[in-house]
Amino acid sequence: MSESSPVSSKANPSAALDSLRIELDSLDGSLLESLAQRRELSRRIAEHKSKATGPARDQEREARVLADRVRAGRALGLDAHFVTRVFHAVIEDSLRVQHDQLSAEQAGTQRTSLRLCGLGSQGSYSHAAAERHFSRQTTGWSYAGCNSLRRIFEQVARGEAEQGVAPIENTITGSINEAYDLLLEHGLSIVGEERMPIRHCLLGLQGADRSQLRLLHAHPQALAQCRHFVDALAGCQVQYATSASDAVQAIAGDKRAAAIASAEAAAHFGVEVLVENIADQRDNYTRFIFVARRPLPVPKQLPCKTSLVISTAQKPASLVQALLVFRKHGINLAKLESRPIPGNAWEEMFYLDLDGNPAADSVGQALEELSKVTRFVRFLGSYASSDLPPTTLQPAVLATAEVSSAATIADTPPGPTSAHKPTSKRKSSAYRLASREHKQQDTVLSAAGVEIGGPDFVVIAGPCAVETREQVMTCARHAREHGVAILRGGCFKPRTSPYSFQGLGLEGLDYLAEAGKTYGMPIVTEVMDTHQVEAVARQADILQVGARNMQNFSLLRAVGQVHRPVMLKRGLMASIDELLQAAEYILSQGNQQVFLCERGIRTFETSTRNTLDLSAVPILQERTHLPVIIDPSHAVGRRDLVPPLARAAQAVGAHGVMVEFHPRPEEALSDGPQALRFPQLAALMRDLYRDRPAPVTPSQTSQAT
């Protein structure tokens, strides 16, 4: 009798478990061998691409491959999110291998080892950036740590190191000005870049007690990125370190000392992670540049960035004149940074990063023209872009039962309201910024890469209230699997009765943010009070102002001062003009990222909770450029009516819908009768996307998922 048979499993469960683990290990080994073979094929493909003139990346093929893999995975019982995550990683590795291969062939140099220097020793973020940058290259490299940025640039300038790696900007603290100044001072060239996710942790010795800490070692940049956490460490003195690795080494032998560094640094130096993810913002990235004495050519097949520094005449519109050169040639500027000109008080020079290769005609011509309208131009280097946004499946691919593998980027369907856009004759002085008179073209918002107001119909879905971590994670997985674009969930619940469930608050927001990050979906949740805005904006991608707060003018002003899209819901008894005037409060504070939500109004009719005003969609689109979505769940309060009204919203030209669903609606702590069951949500998504093309478009953001 075999060891894995039911009888032997019952008789000796430990042996059966060991047998299964051995089988699992064997499968893992086969997977690794397959990945290695795939990487080698990627290198061989790069050899052929080096002889071609077209771009190295074929996103139409990526789209077909991803759609085919999702379809095949579903046939094997694998969910789409799992399959896409695996193949995003595989495709990214293939792209980077090909990029490295093409770059090495272009350089035409063969060296056995590259001497590299960076800020801090092994265990520092600079060392991690170097590992990531050179991990796929066959050339070996050695690394020497430096105690300052200046020392890095000096070593490279003197030939003591062939390349240096240095941080140049961070998503929380912005540009690192010293790095920009040193670039110009030493005349080095940028030859590469790497964007690294920075996950700061509080590290200490084994047995250290966070409440007993009296000394904190950290690099100034790390301190600035973890300001809120550091401020909460009562009685803890701060000691500056030259790098994250130096900070960790400084705590040796002192249980009352701690350091800010990565979990990898903790493992390298044998200390413990006391607290994880302590940065002020959940998405914290640092961009590192690699510098050398001479520029390196970039193959035309690769996406390329070029960095420059310019100065213009001290005359009106002189900078505009320079920037119009890039507009004329259709060149995107990825960054524009001003710095003082040494020795010229109150005069500025400008550092620019543009998308393009000087070897291309358009970029070369633009740089030639730029020299005619500026006082000073210095080329800082061209290098292969490290930004490789994944090709993502549109909701139509995930929602429909039949996945079309022939879908391409060009298949984007026409917008729901593209046929005509009436020009309003109505005077709108009460909502000037929201009016068509102010802006004729439609506003299109972006929340973590998902566009609202564009050609694609957007579905926002999730539970009415976040109840438990398990509940919201289950909902997120189901939503992602069936093509929902944005995950919703109530953390602060405005309820008519003070005895009803009021939500989990910030704990619920932590669960919702984790679910969104796990399944790659932006999240939206409601804010009810001005004091909540900052805390919610740190984690939520979209802030919702609910119907009861539509005319809470203090709250409208508060959300108008944050850099997050705002979904404004129509009040229960509000007119369309009042809704637009409420939107004006937000817009007038500077935040132009507003979209409107019709969720039903109170009338004499009692057969449903509220009366869904579908006529509001074309009327609003006549009067305002802001996107409009429909919330049928709150409008009618009955799950059986939600699907037909969602389809009606699509037919009348809304940009999207927001619906609620729940694993067990009968047990929901809030609005169970209107929550769809899981199969109902899947059926609704199929209905909404069945007759629409299934485009596959590249993501607009580089998720560090």
Side-chain angles (χ1 to χ4, degrees), residues 576 580 613-624:
I576 287 177
L580 290 171
D613 184 8
L614 287 173
S615 68
V617 174
I619 293 174
L620 283 167
Q621 290 176 344
E622 177 185 282
R623 298 184 186 178
T624 182

Side-chain angles (χ1 to χ4, degrees), residues 526 544-552 556 567-583 595-603 609-613 616 620 631 634-635:
E526 182 172 355
Q544 172 185 316
V545 176
R548 292 175 175 85
N549 278 306
M550 191 203 82
Q551 291 184 311
N552 182 340
L556 297 179
M567 178 173 68
L568 177 64
K569 302 190 84 172
R570 184 181 181 184
L572 297 174
M573 302 181 68
S575 68
I576 287 177
D577 275 359
E578 288 169 337
L579 173 62
L580 290 171
Q581 289 175 55
F595 64 104
L596 309 175
C597 179
E598 161 60 37
R599 46 87 69 213
I601 54 176
R602 283 186 176 171
T603 68
R609 176 193 288 176
N610 299 295
T611 299
L612 181 60
D613 184 8
L620 283 167
D631 177 358
H634 282 96

Side-chain angles (χ1 to χ4, degrees), residues 489-666:
C491 304
F492 302 91
K493 297 299 299 177
R495 306 300 298 279
T496 303
S497 169
Y499 307 112
S500 299
F501 177 61
Q502 305 290 316
L504 297 178
L506 292 177
E507 179 186 5
L509 181 58
D510 289 340
Y511 296 154
L512 184 65
E514 180 187 359
K517 191 174 185 67
T518 300
Y519 290 98
M521 303 173 70
I523 62 171
V524 55
T525 194
E526 182 172 355
V527 287
M528 295 170 51
D529 188 272
T530 56
H531 298 98
Q532 299 168 352
V533 172
E534 183 180 352
V536 175
R538 279 200 294 268
Q539 298 203 70
D541 300 285
I542 302 171
L543 306 183
Q544 172 185 316
V545 176
R548 292 175 175 85
N549 278 306
M550 191 203 82
Q551 291 184 311
N552 182 340
F553 301 121
S554 296
L555 181 60
L556 297 179
R557 290 190 181 96
V559 298
Q561 295 171 16
V562 298
H563 192 66
R564 285 283 185 270
V566 177
M567 178 173 68
L568 177 64
K569 302 190 84 172
R570 184 181 181 184
L572 297 174
M573 302 181 68
S575 68
I576 287 177
D577 275 359
E578 288 169 337
L579 173 62
L580 290 171
Q581 289 175 55
E584 191 78 5
Y585 269 90
I586 302 172
L587 298 169
S588 66
Q589 297 300 305
N591 188 350
Q592 307 302 301
Q593 306 171 95
V594 179
F595 64 104
L596 309 175
C597 179
E598 161 60 37
R599 46 87 69 213
I601 54 176
R602 283 186 176 171
T603 68
F604 61 84
E605 180 55 64
T606 59
S607 58
T608 57
R609 176 193 288 176
N610 299 295
T611 299
L612 181 60
D613 184 8
L614 287 173
S615 68
V617 174
I619 293 174
L620 283 167
Q621 290 176 344
E622 177 185 282
R623 298 184 186 178
T624 182
H625 53 87
L626 302 176
V628 183
I629 71 166
I630 293 291
D631 177 358
S633 300
H634 282 96
V636 295
R638 287 172 44 183
R639 71 174 62 90
D640 61 314
L641 297 179
V642 169
L645 289 176
R647 294 194 295 271
Q650 186 181 45
V652 81
H655 295 101
V657 292
M658 182 168 73
V659 299
E660 293 182 355
F661 72 101
H662 195 281
R664 295 174 295 277
E666 61 280 357

Side-chain angles (χ1 to χ4, degrees), residues 226-250:
C226 306
R227 179 174 52 85
H228 295 298
F229 181 85
V230 173
D231 289 347
L233 290 176
C236 198
Q237 181 182 352
V238 172
Q239 182 71 45
Y240 290 133
T242 57
S243 68
S245 55
D246 288 345
V248 181
Q249 294 178 78

